[in-house]
């Protein structure tokens, strides 16, 4: 018998009832095969039992983690001790405003960009056009570049220092060393030019490189702005899932009165009224009334499911017709929708095998780059043309900046976050990043049952007339009867008649 190896990308279980019968267990998935390998991908949503055992950190308060190193978790904002990136919430809040770090970096960039441009223009063309004498130009460049390097670049130098404290060299180590070396050398050359030999002189002054330090900081800010905007977009899928839940619930008080309360004020055991056209506020059981619920956001099935007394309902599903009174059984992070959100968040933070290799390479890479930069400095200083040590310093700084492993460290986690987020918006959940990576081996999709792949709503195909009735007349009569119905099948008939 051929041996198959299974890799689970995601799976789902959901409990529902048909026609008032007791809910039964339903398991749906698609099997993907390639050369004897089967990869199981989700066409549904969360596994309730697995989600019930979700890590405790999801249950209490906001937990912050690193996009590149999901093993780093803490209960307050900060920077990752490994890579220096700003930590972000594992599950974003639907009411979150603009990323404060993005807003801060935008201010630093736009406020200092004119200074960077002015420093660059003065350094490149000042000596050609004789706008001022050489020593004065050095002081002006110092004044222009200092706010850029020390204020706009402060977050980068802070992360550089932290990388040494945590003994975890990263791209901020390179940026901090490169920009810091260029700026510090230039400050000393401006304040104490006599401390340098004449071989360091060029254009009537000791060569300074304030423009290099300022441009490095500004370009790094541009890269951070692009990265932060991309990262903020990856949480859009989770926020869209959070947005499915209603904001309030109509609670029945012991004295018989009713009142609308925020969803986070609903507790287990509360009696809630669900009116026609409203979403079910939380997972519970029907204790009064009957209706049809659209559960397509969970099951993918377009036909509403009839719910009667004793049937279980899922939060965020739509009540199409009839009024129900339910008793809440699960609230907050215990609901099916919350478990789906947690599953997506876990998948986005998981590491693919390729990413683990990239992290290992990046750690050695940074150390190697620093060593090569030092070798470049001394090689140019000893063997290069005059002013040899100036050339050596600039080339060493160039090695530090150009060789930053930004793409090496960010490419894999960014692609995983985008892939899992895009899949979630289309109803496909991945268990972890390894499953996404394994999908590259798949060339055939085998669907295990009818109804798995649908457009989400029924479509009218044709009408057959009997006993001499014209087909168009039959369709017209049927549409006139279904005009006031909210049932999906009736809607399809009415749409076809129009």
């Amino acid at each position: 018998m051929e041996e198959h190896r299974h890799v689970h990308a995601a799976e789902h279980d959901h409990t529902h009832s048909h026609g008032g019968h007791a809910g039964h267990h339903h398991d749906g998935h698609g099997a993907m095969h390639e050369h004897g390998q089967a990869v199981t991908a989700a066409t549904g949503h969360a596994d309730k039992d697995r989600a019930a055992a979700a890590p405790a950190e999801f249950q209490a308060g906001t937990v912050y983690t690193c996009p590149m190193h999901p093993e780093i978790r803490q209960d307050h904002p900060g920077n990752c001790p490994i890579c220096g990136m700003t930590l972000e919430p594992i599950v974003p809040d639907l009411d979150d405003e603009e990323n404060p770090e993005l807003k801060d970096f935008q201010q630093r960039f736009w406020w200092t960009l004119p200074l960077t441009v002015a420093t660059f223009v003065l350094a490149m063309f000042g000596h050609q056009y004789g706008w001022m004498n050489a020593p004065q130009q050095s002081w002006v460049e110092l004044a222009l570049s200092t706010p850029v390097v020390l204020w706009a670049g402060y977050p980068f130098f802070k992360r550089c220092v932290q990388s040494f404290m945590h003994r975890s060299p990263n791209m901020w180590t390179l940026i901090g060393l490169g920009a810091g070396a260029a700026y510090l050398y230039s400050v000393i050359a401006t304040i104490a030019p006599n401390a340098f030999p004449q071989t360091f002189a060029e254009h009537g002054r000791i060569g300074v490189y304030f423009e290099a330090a300022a441009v490095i900081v500004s370009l790094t800010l541009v890269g951070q702005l692009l990265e932060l905007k991309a990262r903020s977009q990856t949480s859009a899928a989770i926020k869209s899932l959070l947005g499915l839940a209603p904001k309030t619930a109509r609670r029945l008080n012991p004295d018989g009165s009713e009142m609308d309360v925020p969803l986070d004020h609903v507790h287990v055991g509360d009696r809630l009224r669900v009116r026609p056209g409203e979403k079910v506020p939380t997972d519970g059981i029907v204790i009064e009334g009957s209706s049809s619920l659209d559960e397509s956001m969970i099951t993918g099935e377009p036909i509403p499911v009839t719910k009667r007394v004793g049937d279980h309902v899922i939060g965020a599903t739509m009540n199409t017709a009839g009024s129900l009174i339910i008793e809440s059984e699960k609230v907050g992070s215990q609901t099916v929708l919350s478990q789906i959100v947690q599953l997506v968040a876990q998948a986005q933070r998981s590491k693919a095998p390729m990413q683990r290799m990239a992290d290992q390479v990046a750690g050695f890479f940074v150390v190697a780059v620093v060593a090569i930069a030092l070798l470049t400095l001394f090689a140019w200083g000893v063997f290069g043309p005059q002013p040899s040590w100036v050339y050596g310093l600039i080339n060493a700084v160039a090695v530090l900046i150009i060789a930053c492993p930004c793409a090496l460290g960010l490419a894999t986690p960014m692609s995983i976050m985008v892939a899992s987020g895009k899949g979630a918006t289309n109803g496909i959940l991945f268990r972890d990043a390894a499953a996404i990576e394994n999908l590259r081996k798949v060339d055939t999709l085998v669907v295990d049952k009818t109804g798995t792949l649908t457009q989400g709503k029924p479509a009218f195909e044709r009408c057959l007339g009997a006993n001499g009735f014209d087909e168009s007349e039959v369709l017209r009569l049927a549409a006139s009867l279904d005009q006031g119905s909210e049932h999906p099948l009736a809607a399809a008939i009415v749409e076809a008649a129009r």
Side-chain angles (χ1 to χ4, degrees), residues 276-288:
E278 292 182 342
K279 290 183 177 180
V280 177
T282 187
D283 296 4
I285 185 172
V286 178
I287 59 176
E288 183 179 323

Side-chain angles (χ1 to χ4, degrees), residues 235-369:
S235 64
I238 295 181
K239 289 188 176 183
S240 66
L241 291 173
L242 291 171
L244 294 175
K247 301 295 185 295
T248 61
R250 191 163 188 83
R251 184 168 62 193
L252 277 66
N253 298 320
D255 60 2
S257 62
E258 301 180 7
M259 63 181 300
D260 292 327
V261 297
L263 192 60
D264 55 2
H265 290 182
V266 175
H267 305 286
V268 174
D270 284 353
R271 294 186 305 147
L272 309 172
R273 183 181 297 280
V274 186
R275 292 168 293 191
E278 292 182 342
K279 290 183 177 180
V280 177
T282 187
D283 296 4
I285 185 172
V286 178
I287 59 176
E288 183 179 323
S290 65
S291 182
S292 296
L293 266 58
D294 180 1
E295 296 183 336
S296 58
M297 56 85 64
I298 297 293
T299 65
E301 301 292 344
I303 307 300
V305 180
T306 301
K307 298 292 183 180
R308 296 187 175 90
V309 174
D311 290 339
H312 292 274
V313 295
I314 301 174
T317 55
M318 179 66 71
N319 182 21
T320 59
S323 179
L324 295 174
I325 296 179
I326 67 170
E327 180 179 308
S328 61
E329 293 182 318
K330 296 180 180 179
V331 297
S333 61
Q334 299 299 317
T335 64
V336 170
L337 179 61
S338 294
Q339 316 252 339
I340 293 173
V341 172
Q342 293 169 17
L343 183 63
V344 175
Q346 286 176 323
Q348 286 190 341
R349 307 301 177 194
S350 61
K351 278 192 176 184
M354 181 61 69
Q355 184 181 345
R356 296 188 183 96
M357 184 184 72
D359 288 344
Q360 294 175 351
V361 172
F364 294 109
F365 186 75
V366 172
V367 177
V369 167

Side-chain angles (χ1 to χ4, degrees), residues 62-65 71-81 87 90:
T62 301
V63 178
Y64 295 84
T65 187
E71 67 273 15
I72 302 299
R73 299 191 177 192
Q74 61 187 42
D75 58 1
H76 58 278
N79 293 331
C80 175
L87 303 182
I90 291 179

